[in-house]
Amino acid sequence: MNQLDQLKNHTTVVADTGNFLQLAQFAPRDATTNPSLILKAVQSPDYAPLLKDTVAAHKGLVLDEIVDQVLVRFGLEILKVVPGRVSTEVDARLSFDKLANIARAKRIIGLYEAAGIGRERVLIKIASTWEGIQAAAELEREGIHTNLTLLFSFCQAVACGDNGIQLISPFVGRIYDWYKKSAGSAWDEAAQAGLNDPGVKSVTQIYNYFKKHDIKTEVMGASFRNVGQITALAGCDLLTISPDLLAQLQGTDAPLTAALDAQAAQKMDIPRVSFDEAGFRFALNQDAMATEKLAEGIRAFAVDSGKLDAMIESLLK
């Protein structure tokens, strides 16, 4: 068996792409998107007509409503290929507005439901700010499931677990990026690989904590830089992987075994913790990596959302 098939024996494999034409060859169960992936897709000749047609069909709507129509259109195409769920992201520019996140999420779910897709097949992606987590908690209570993204710290994960969030996406590769950049010339790639990779260690800590305390929130490692990060997290609930890395896994038959084990985690001595708003904000503030990467991620997604807006506006003229 190739490594991708072996991985599927331990972990639910998710494709991290807006390129739904690539999906079938990897047979993932779910798929995730974000503003950057959608922007990349619509700039391709393969998808430009989809953007043009969707905008033309909804010219009477305001801009943010047209954007949601485009995002859902991609989601609908993805759901024709994957048997499970698609994650569709709320505009990152709303990351610090609880009520706006809730309103946008409900509108996106409404578009899916109007197209005949049940809400059990959709995860609404929201940034893991305090406001985003509180918005997601309210959505979960109303039966709208969420995927909390841009997650870099243990306190973000704990707050999500305590608030009944369906799924979290800790960003392995971006954590790795920060520590590598911070270390500069002192960085030892070999010594920081595999189980010692700082992003892998972060997800492992979250996974073990959730399993120890029977927290139902699904843990989905995301943002991988190399295959070694993926294989070091085999056994995680889910892993969302780019097409390039899925192809690399598919192209090798090296042995792969589970690195994470829920039963083993239950035997670990891991104390239960919790964070109120003040405690959450202070814990996040004390984690320089998480503070910087969360802010950077929101800024980057906001920039790409603005670029998508501009593309749509050009088609409205």
Side-chain angles (χ1 to χ4, degrees):
M1 296 174 68
N2 64 51
Q3 277 199 328
L4 180 57
D5 289 336
Q6 292 179 70
L7 181 62
K8 289 177 180 177
N9 288 332
H10 306 293
T11 291
T12 296
V13 171
V14 180
D16 192 23
T17 182
N19 187 343
F20 52 80
L21 298 175
Q22 280 187 302
L23 290 177
Q25 62 184 302
F26 304 116
R29 193 197 72 180
D30 297 351
T32 57
T33 65
N34 64 43
S36 300
L37 293 174
I38 295 296
L39 178 66
K40 182 179 177 182
V42 297
Q43 291 173 318
S44 160
D46 291 332
Y47 298 103
L50 183 149
L51 175 66
K52 186 176 180 180
D53 292 347
T54 305
V55 172
H58 300 95
K59 276 194 170 181
L61 302 179
V62 298
L63 179 60
D64 60 90
E65 292 178 328
I66 299 175
V67 170
D68 284 350
Q69 292 283 352
V70 171
L71 299 181
V72 170
R73 177 68 186 278
F74 269 87
L76 293 172
E77 294 297 330
I78 287 169
L79 288 172
K80 293 176 182 177
V81 184
V82 302
R85 303 171 294 189
V86 67
S87 291
T88 297
E89 191 153 346
V90 169
D91 192 326
R93 292 169 290 190
L94 306 178
S95 294
F96 302 100
D97 189 329
K98 173 186 171 181
L99 295 180
N101 268 296
I102 291 170
R104 199 70 171 260
K106 288 182 176 179
R107 188 166 76 195
I108 290 170
I109 281 292
L111 293 175
Y112 276 111
E113 290 182 330
I117 300 296
R119 56 181 59 184
E120 73 280 356
R121 296 197 69 197
V122 180
L123 293 172
I124 301 296
K125 286 179 81 173
I126 298 173
S128 299
T129 58
W130 179 259
E131 295 82 1
I133 294 168
Q134 301 313 304
E138 186 166 321
L139 291 165
E140 293 284 356
R141 289 192 289 270
E142 297 185 29
I144 297 172
H145 297 307
T146 56
N147 170 355
L148 271 288
T149 187
L150 294 175
L151 193 146
F152 303 99
S153 70
F154 184 65
C155 69
Q156 289 173 295
V158 170
C160 288
D162 286 348
N163 280 282
I165 304 309
Q166 180 69 33
L167 181 147
I168 60 171
S169 295
F171 275 34
V172 178
R174 297 195 194 191
I175 294 173
Y176 160 89
D177 292 344
W178 189 91
Y179 282 100
K180 183 175 181 177
K181 181 179 179 181
S182 180
S185 61
W187 179 260
D188 185 335
E189 188 68 37
Q192 301 294 330
L195 299 178
N196 292 323
D197 182 294
V200 170
K201 289 166 72 173
S202 178
V203 176
T204 300
Q205 179 192 18
I206 293 166
Y207 176 89
N208 288 336
Y209 177 83
F210 278 21
K211 301 312 174 190
K212 169 66 177 181
H213 298 290
D214 197 30
I215 294 168
K216 301 304 182 185
T217 299
E218 301 169 59
V219 180
M220 181 172 72
S223 168
F224 294 104
R225 298 293 178 259
N226 55 63
V227 167
Q229 293 173 336
I230 297 167
T231 58
L233 288 172
C236 195
D237 298 330
L238 309 95
L239 298 174
T240 183
I241 306 168
S242 69
D244 288 347
L245 292 176
L246 288 170
Q248 288 184 40
L249 289 165
Q250 204 172 55
T252 178
D253 57 3
L256 183 151
T257 57
L260 301 184
D261 184 324
Q263 291 185 333
Q266 289 171 359
K267 299 174 184 177
M268 295 178 181
D269 182 16
I270 307 173
R272 185 81 186 240
V273 296
S274 63
F275 297 93
D276 60 11
E277 181 177 355
F280 173 91
R281 294 191 185 281
F282 187 74
L284 187 61
N285 181 78
Q286 294 302 96
D287 187 334
M289 176 277 297
T291 297
E292 292 175 24
K293 297 308 286 187
L294 174 60
E296 178 185 87
I298 291 171
R299 286 196 300 268
F301 283 164
V303 166
D304 285 343
S305 293
K307 290 178 180 177
L308 182 59
D309 287 352
M311 289 183 70
I312 290 172
E313 287 180 315
S314 70
L315 293 172
L316 292 171
K317 292 177 181 177

